[in-house]
Amino acid sequence: MGRPEGKASTPLNIMVQQLNGADPLVDKLAGPLIDRQKYPSMHADDVWQAQIRALVAAELAEKVRMPETIENPATARLPDESGG
């Protein structure tokens, strides 16, 4: 939906990266793992943070209703449009 947030690399940029042996995707995926090995004390709370995120996500799932899929949106009405 809408405009893409990023721009695709040009063929010239890709060729230069390949010639230099760089791969941005590999660098992005490997970065967090490298950081965990280099700086273990910075990641001591990772499990705790993941647990907090899971609890918040579970609470949101309970409290926020997901919109239902409507076969024909043109005939759909909002719940308070009953007219009666």
Side-chain angles (χ1 to χ4, degrees):
M1 302 295 214
R3 291 184 177 180
E5 292 183 21
K7 292 185 178 183
S9 295
T10 64
L12 178 60
N13 285 344
I14 294 171
M15 290 298 295
V16 169
Q17 289 170 352
Q18 288 176 347
L19 291 173
N20 288 330
D23 188 338
L25 178 60
V26 170
D27 293 342
K28 187 171 187 170
L29 293 173
L33 299 171
I34 292 169
D35 283 347
R36 284 175 198 237
Q37 292 297 315
K38 287 174 73 175
Y39 312 107
S41 63
M42 291 180 63
H43 298 281
D45 294 333
D46 285 355
V47 172
W48 175 75
Q49 290 177 6
Q51 290 172 342
I52 296 294
R53 283 189 188 99
L55 289 171
V56 170
E59 186 173 342
L60 281 174
E62 286 178 15
K63 296 186 185 244
V64 178
R65 276 189 15 200
M66 295 300 293
E68 296 179 13
T69 304
I70 301 170
E71 290 183 26
N72 187 355
T75 61
R77 292 184 175 197
L78 295 175
D80 55 291
E81 289 183 3
S82 60

